[in-house]
Amino acid sequence: MMKRYFTTLLLLGTVAVLLSMDATAQKTAIQTITTHDKITVVTDPSKGSNTYLGWGKFPATNTPIRKIRMVVKFGCPDTLRCADWDYMDQILIRRKGGQNAPDLSYEIGRMLTPYGGAFGKNWNFEWATDLTDFSLLLRDSVEVEYRHAGYEPNNDRGWKITVQFEITPGPPALPPFAIHRIYDGHYAYGDSSKPIEAALKPVSFTSNSKTRNARLLIYQTGHGMDPEGCGEFCSRYREVLFNDQLIDKRDIWQKCGDNPLYPQAGTWIIDRAYWCPGELKHADRYQLTIQPNRNNVVDINMEPYQSPKPSATEVISAYVVEYGAYRSKQDVAMEDIIVPSNKDIHSRINPAGVHPVIAFRNLGGALLKTLQISYGTKAKARQLFQWKGELKPGETAIVKLPGIIAAAPGENEFQVELSRPNGKQDGYLADNFMSSVFKAIPKHGASLVFQFKTNRQPEHNSFTLTNSNNEIVQQRKEGELKADSLYQEQWQLQPGIYTLQVKDSAGDGLEFWFNRRGGRGYARLLDHQRRMLHLFESDFGSSLFYAFEVVQDSTQHQASVEIPAVGLYPTMSAGPTTLDYFSNSAEKVTVRFISDPGNQLVEEHVYENMKEGVFQYDMSYLPAQRYYVQVWVKGKMVFNKRLRIVFRQ
């Protein structure tokens, strides 16, 4: 089974000389294949599903492939707004070889669409997943289907979608021999007339004579809404058996408050049955102990469950891929640089000033116990560390490294190189090196003010300021804060790197539209002249992260935020709502209420020379529906949030 975990690191010391890692690492050209290029995707309400097909020319069958990565990009269409609902979309291999080839329908990706109702026209986001296990199928001419689900209107909303495949050539760590479809369907759950175990019967396959390894892949998400919230909002366990041996038991449940894509317009923070809105789902991967020429059995069992009014569905696709022997006993590969990084998916914990975080994989046949890691910003001094742990073949480790992340202003390049797995020569060097582009953390002066306005449920909140040695400089623990109170922390800091973290143990931030009892709070970082340096999003779910550097010359580095801080609460109301505005400069501000659907201006307020203010509106005269509240400054929309006027008794 593939695991992700932090491991203990042993410091060897900082390399005082500049190491030219990119000079020693082998460069491999990556081939990019695009099957869907910024296409507009909308629903088909008459069927609940809409199909978008695209062909790609993949490497020939005899071309060795080291790695395949699928990238999915979302944006708002050029002529429509972003769509509203969290639908389950699927990406499938439909045909391989040409127009007359048989229908394969292998699911290789599952996209849970975000609540996009409040995204601006320039919004975009990118996800990626590893598809190397499908290298037998992604060959020659391949037809890829993007299947978009849903019933929402299709005349004014949708998505702009790109699907790309990044092919890294090179010898595979494991040569694939066969792929077997184990399960593929929407399985009723909780219905006594259609028990799920009758559908999820054990599936047999006979292994190849050359098979020495195998991997089981499972895509699973729960959907539907019965009286207990199943299958979307209930936690139930799943058991996986291989040859009558239990290899995994886990809850089909996922926390959503730390979703990298935030905030969203709907109930994005609410935990769900193994998925969150705005997520490209990764397959669960299990390394299988297998013998050649043997009959093997895979069996998935769900927790026994019955509902008086069943509507739950478990959507499951599962495959077994057979492989030969490992090409090398000692073989490691970089998987990702998580910190520092500009990737959307890592935006929750970036930019950062200390502690790089990387992911690497053991692609060798031997247990990995030691590894040398060289890392640092390009053209800066490198650090050298010896990792120690136990990483089984096929598994991935996520490692937090010590040290400061050196950076020049603007964008930088961070480099990591792996070497000497188990003290020996790596069997394949080309994937030992990786670099990432990242932004430097902001620089501030020593005199700072942290404004923290609590909501009506402050027992869930805490915040901590730490220095580069992870020492606490200031802290407000959970349970210390009072409701509806403004805390203004005066900080006089020494030069150095600091990290400010805000947490909410309930996972609903300082504001969440569905939790009207909780009210709204906010967090702002100001300079000594009360100019805003950083505005924190109140609708943040579980946590906020902000790293910065305090420098001696405060006048040179005291940058301030140009976009004003705007809040609207409640956003689900019988009519009354309050808008608060804070800016570093006085400007003409226009507040507009726009109908949805209809996109008609229903009310407008203009405020001349406004810098700060709180404004109350009563929209109870309007029909009960959705509206957008927009704030415009100097011809630019700086705020766009959905207001739900609900039915009044």
Side-chain angles (χ1 to χ4, degrees):
M1 187 192 313
M2 181 177 293
K3 298 179 180 177
R4 290 183 175 268
Y5 53 84
F6 287 92
T7 52
T8 304
L9 296 164
L10 176 65
L11 174 64
L12 291 182
T14 302
V15 179
V17 297
L18 297 182
L19 301 179
S20 181
M21 292 191 293
D22 49 351
T24 59
Q26 299 179 22
K27 299 285 187 177
T28 302
I30 295 176
Q31 178 186 1
T32 300
I33 300 160
T34 303
T35 59
H36 299 72
D37 189 8
K38 299 178 182 178
I39 65 168
T40 297
V41 170
V42 298
T43 66
D44 183 347
S46 67
K47 298 187 299 183
S49 180
N50 212 354
T51 294
Y52 297 86
L53 301 173
W55 284 89
K57 183 64 176 177
F58 288 80
T61 302
N62 59 356
T63 300
I65 292 178
R66 182 71 175 180
K67 185 175 183 178
I68 303 176
R69 184 172 175 262
M70 181 173 69
V71 178
V72 179
K73 303 175 184 178
F74 265 49
C76 297
D78 296 335
T79 58
L80 307 173
R81 67 174 178 84
C82 270
D84 283 325
W85 287 97
D86 55 332
Y87 293 125
M88 186 199 73
D89 292 359
Q90 293 173 293
I91 304 171
L92 306 101
I93 297 174
R94 280 294 300 271
R95 287 181 289 181
K96 174 180 176 291
Q99 294 284 353
N100 298 323
D103 189 349
L104 296 175
S105 292
Y106 275 75
E107 182 179 12
I108 56 174
R110 187 172 300 180
M111 184 73 216
L112 292 311
T113 61
Y115 293 102
F119 293 157
K121 293 296 294 183
N122 295 325
W123 172 87
N124 56 77
F125 205 89
E126 180 179 306
W127 300 264
T129 190
D130 191 303
L131 294 185
T132 309
D133 291 307
F134 293 96
S135 64
L136 284 173
L137 299 176
L138 293 170
R139 298 285 185 166
D140 302 312
S141 294
V142 178
E143 185 181 41
V144 175
E145 174 187 350
Y146 188 94
R147 184 181 298 169
H148 182 44
Y151 295 91
E152 66 182 339
N154 61 11
N155 60 336
D156 65 345
R157 69 202 71 183
W159 299 107
K160 180 167 63 177
I161 291 176
T162 296
V163 180
Q164 294 178 325
F165 298 84
E166 297 177 351
I167 312 294
T168 303
L174 284 168
F177 289 126
I179 184 168
H180 306 276
R181 191 197 314 268
I182 305 299
Y183 299 107
D184 183 11
H186 292 58
Y187 300 93
Y189 187 41
D191 190 341
S192 59
S193 67
K194 296 183 290 184
I196 194 169
E197 287 309 311
L200 292 175
K201 295 179 180 179
V203 177
S204 301
F205 69 93
T206 301
S207 52
N208 190 286
S209 61
K210 298 181 181 179
T211 297
R212 298 296 182 271
N213 296 277
R215 189 171 293 141
L216 170 64
L217 317 176
I218 303 176
Y219 296 94
Q220 180 172 356
T221 50
H223 305 271
M225 179 67 71
D226 66 17
E228 292 194 35
C230 291
E232 183 172 345
F233 297 109
C234 72
S235 178
R236 295 290 185 266
Y237 67 74
R238 178 190 73 194
E239 296 178 333
V240 180
L241 292 88
F242 183 64
N243 292 337
D244 297 323
Q245 298 295 314
L246 181 67
I247 62 173
D248 183 56
K249 181 177 180 179
R250 68 179 63 185
D251 292 332
I252 302 303
W253 194 242
Q254 187 168 327
K255 297 287 186 181
C256 293
D258 270 332
N259 192 329
L261 175 51
Y262 79 99
Q264 299 179 35
T267 56
W268 67 274
I269 67 165
I270 298 179
D271 306 334
R272 284 171 167 81
Y274 223 36
W275 63 276
C276 296
E279 176 190 18
L280 178 62
K281 191 69 182 174
H282 301 292
D284 294 326
R285 288 179 165 86
Y286 304 92
Q287 307 298 128
L288 304 179
T289 301
I290 195 169
Q291 301 296 325
N293 297 318
R294 175 178 170 174
N295 183 64
N296 301 276
V297 181
V298 177
D299 188 14
I300 291 179
N301 299 320
M302 287 299 298
E303 178 180 344
Y305 171 68
Q306 289 188 8
S307 173
K309 296 181 180 179
S311 74
T313 301
E314 296 295 323
V315 183
I316 303 174
S317 296
Y319 311 96
V320 167
V321 184
E322 294 184 53
Y323 291 99
Y326 280 93
R327 179 178 178 272
S328 303
K329 287 186 176 182
Q330 320 298 335
D331 188 356
V332 292
M334 279 294 301
E335 288 285 287
D336 200 5
I337 297 175
I338 300 170
V339 176
S341 172
N342 281 353
K343 289 182 180 178
D344 296 330
I345 202 70
H346 302 320
S347 59
R348 280 266 185 186
I349 51 177
N350 280 288
V354 293
H355 301 311
V357 180
I358 66 170
F360 60 84
R361 191 174 181 185
N362 182 9
L363 295 180
L367 180 69
L368 183 65
K369 294 184 177 182
T370 63
L371 180 67
Q372 188 168 287
I373 305 172
S374 177
Y375 61 98
T377 303
K378 186 177 181 179
K380 304 287 185 179
R382 300 294 190 266
Q383 296 188 72
L384 188 64
F385 283 83
Q386 183 80 16
W387 171 87
K388 289 186 177 182
E390 289 191 355
L391 193 63
K392 295 178 182 178
E395 290 186 350
T396 298
I398 297 179
V399 175
K400 185 176 184 179
L401 301 169
I404 290 175
I405 300 170
E411 288 195 337
N412 297 262
E413 181 181 334
F414 194 79
Q415 301 176 332
V416 180
E417 186 172 25
L418 311 176
S419 62
R420 307 296 296 170
N422 291 331
K424 299 179 181 179
Q425 176 70 28
D426 193 289
Y428 187 71
L429 295 175
D431 52 14
N432 288 26
F433 174 84
M434 181 176 284
S435 64
S436 66
V437 176
F438 72 97
K439 293 180 181 178
I441 59 175
K443 299 179 186 295
H444 300 318
S447 298
L448 300 173
V449 178
F450 180 54
Q451 290 186 340
F452 192 83
K453 169 67 169 58
T454 60
N455 60 17
R456 293 194 292 270
Q457 295 174 335
E459 65 272 14
H460 303 145
N461 299 132
S462 63
F463 60 83
T464 305
L465 179 70
T466 56
N467 60 21
S468 58
N469 296 321
N470 204 33
E471 298 167 337
I472 296 175
V473 177
Q474 207 240 336
Q475 182 179 43
R476 293 277 187 174
K477 295 181 180 179
E478 194 172 290
E480 292 183 2
L481 301 169
K482 297 180 180 180
D484 282 325
S485 299
L486 177 61
Y487 292 82
Q488 301 203 67
E489 310 293 353
Q490 306 281 341
W491 293 337
Q492 190 69 33
L493 303 176
Q494 295 297 316
I497 294 174
Y498 296 85
T499 302
L500 175 61
Q501 296 187 76
V502 178
K503 295 185 178 180
D504 186 285
S505 59
D508 60 1
L510 292 171
E511 166 194 353
F512 183 54
W513 66 270
F514 196 71
N515 181 19
R516 284 182 285 180
R517 292 183 179 180
R520 179 179 183 272
Y522 62 80
R524 302 168 185 164
L525 185 65
L526 312 178
D527 67 10
H528 64 290
Q529 297 181 11
R530 301 288 169 143
R531 295 177 301 179
M532 186 164 56
L533 299 173
H534 185 77
L535 169 65
F536 295 89
E537 171 61 53
S538 293
D539 186 7
F540 63 78
S542 296
S543 63
L544 291 169
F545 176 96
Y546 183 68
F548 60 94
E549 183 178 1
V550 169
V551 295
Q552 198 72 40
D553 187 356
S554 61
T555 58
Q556 181 180 352
H557 299 287
Q558 200 74 25
S560 58
V561 177
E562 294 183 2
I563 299 176
V566 186
L568 183 77
Y569 205 85
T571 55
M572 183 168 65
S573 168
T577 190
T578 300
L579 184 143
D580 59 81
Y581 182 93
F582 178 87
S583 178
N584 288 335
S585 59
E587 302 287 350
K588 178 181 178 181
V589 178
T590 302
V591 179
R592 294 171 181 164
F593 291 78
I594 309 294
S595 64
D596 177 38
N599 200 35
Q600 298 296 313
L601 177 66
V602 297
E603 192 169 305
E604 181 177 278
H605 302 266
V606 179
Y607 305 96
E608 299 288 349
N609 201 36
M610 187 172 76
K611 186 175 185 294
E612 184 175 359
V614 178
F615 306 93
Q616 295 180 342
Y617 307 101
D618 188 354
M619 316 306 294
S620 58
Y621 72 93
L622 293 171
Q625 64 177 60
R626 293 181 300 188
Y627 299 85
Y628 283 97
V629 181
Q630 300 176 351
V631 177
W632 294 75
V633 180
K634 294 191 291 189
K636 181 180 179 181
M637 185 170 65
V638 299
F639 180 81
N640 183 37
K641 199 152 194 175
R642 196 161 61 185
L643 171 67
R644 299 164 179 83
I645 302 298
V646 295
F647 178 75
R648 297 167 290 277
Q649 297 290 340

